[in-house]
Amino acid sequence: MLIESSAYASRWRDVAPSAKALFALAGFVAAWLAHSPVAFAALTAVLVLAALLGARVQLRSYIAVALPPLGFLLLSCLTMLLGPDANGHWNFTTAMLPTIEHLALRSFAMLAAMLGLVLTTPMPDLLNLLRRLRTPELLLDLMVLCYRMLFVMQQAWEESITAQSARLGYRNFRQAWRSTGLLAGQMAVQVWQRAAALQMAADARAYQGTLRFLPTAYPHASRQQAWAALAGALMLAIALGDRL
């Protein structure tokens, strides 16, 4: 929910999704081509500042969204420090440090490119862009259903929490623990019932396997794409200069 709310509140909300996707793609390619820590730092700084200063994404929201993948990356780097020695015993080793540093810096830059796209582009705009790029309709429909189910689960969870709180279900630790267990057990039933209701509503509207959204017009798309291409070319120049 935080990602979607940040996308709708972004100053780049009315920027063409194709321009933002082009900028993010250039960031991905530049991060893949870069080699030195200085180049990775420069690319990451450009991508992060573009989101924070250009799109005006709130710093707190940016950090909150970035923390889970950064935690996964940290855990992955720590596991790469483990390895067998000559006797076959597993312990920490520094042999992989250069590789870990390179992968971590590249991942930082690519994560910044991805966050810049998702935190400034709402899901319907991304789906319309993917449809224009000839993405299979089945994949798009699965994305829409998963996207909708997030809201269904959130609504079911919040309503259940409210009902339990009204019945003093969280008055002490023992009662709160019991209420949480009951809530977890009922969530599957609640979500299944609401998903069935959504399917009935779709069938009542003659759903034929394709979900459509009203497209949004972007009168300045060409100019925005040109600016995105220029900024992308700058990042590619940094990466190629570092490579050469």
Side-chain angles (χ1 to χ4, degrees):
M1 306 305 109
L2 179 60
I3 294 177
E4 198 68 4
S5 61
S6 298
Y8 277 101
S10 167
R11 193 171 72 170
W12 286 357
R13 168 65 180 87
D14 297 328
V15 175
S18 55
K20 290 179 283 189
L22 179 61
F23 181 70
L25 179 61
F28 275 114
V29 175
W32 183 260
L33 294 176
H35 184 71
S36 69
V38 175
F40 284 126
L43 292 174
T44 304
V46 169
L47 292 166
V48 172
L49 291 177
L52 296 179
L53 300 182
R56 299 288 176 86
V57 176
Q58 292 186 358
L59 179 60
R60 181 167 52 184
S61 300
Y62 193 94
I63 294 175
V65 176
L67 279 179
L70 288 178
F72 178 78
L73 177 61
L74 176 61
L75 180 62
S76 301
C77 292
L78 290 177
T79 57
M80 293 175 66
L81 289 174
L82 291 173
D85 56 16
N87 298 323
H89 301 294
W90 286 78
N91 50 30
F92 282 95
T93 176
T94 58
M96 292 288 292
L97 276 179
T99 303
I100 294 173
E101 178 187 7
H102 184 76
L103 290 177
L105 292 175
R106 174 176 288 173
S107 300
F108 283 149
M110 289 188 171
L111 176 62
M114 176 61 70
L115 292 179
L117 176 63
V118 300
L119 289 175
T120 60
T121 311
M123 189 66 173
D125 293 347
L126 286 175
L127 291 172
N128 285 328
L129 176 62
L130 292 174
R131 181 169 282 117
R132 288 169 53 193
L133 295 175
R134 307 294 183 180
T135 304
E137 289 292 337
L138 177 60
L139 179 59
L140 295 179
D141 289 347
L142 288 175
M143 293 173 62
V144 173
L145 291 176
C146 293
Y147 172 71
R148 176 56 183 156
M149 288 307 298
L150 290 175
F151 293 93
V152 172
M153 292 180 65
Q154 182 188 28
Q155 184 181 11
W157 182 270
E158 291 177 349
E159 290 178 354
S160 301
I161 289 288
T162 302
Q164 289 181 331
S165 299
R167 294 172 175 83
L168 303 179
Y170 295 91
R171 59 183 175 179
N172 53 49
F173 178 79
R174 181 178 179 181
Q175 194 70 20
W177 187 259
R178 180 177 180 273
S179 298
T180 303
L182 292 174
L183 177 60
Q186 289 294 321
M187 278 298 296
V189 178
Q190 288 264 359
V191 173
W192 179 79
Q193 291 175 343
R194 298 183 188 220
L198 286 175
Q199 182 63 43
M200 290 178 60
D203 293 338
R205 291 168 174 79
Y207 171 69
Q208 297 179 350
T210 301
L211 297 171
R212 297 287 180 177
F213 294 91
L214 184 65
T216 304
Y218 298 97
H220 305 294
S222 299
R223 184 177 64 184
Q224 292 164 354
Q225 290 170 359
W227 280 108
L230 181 61
L234 174 62
M235 291 190 292
L236 291 174
I238 294 174
L240 291 174
D242 176 64
R243 194 81 177 182
L244 299 176

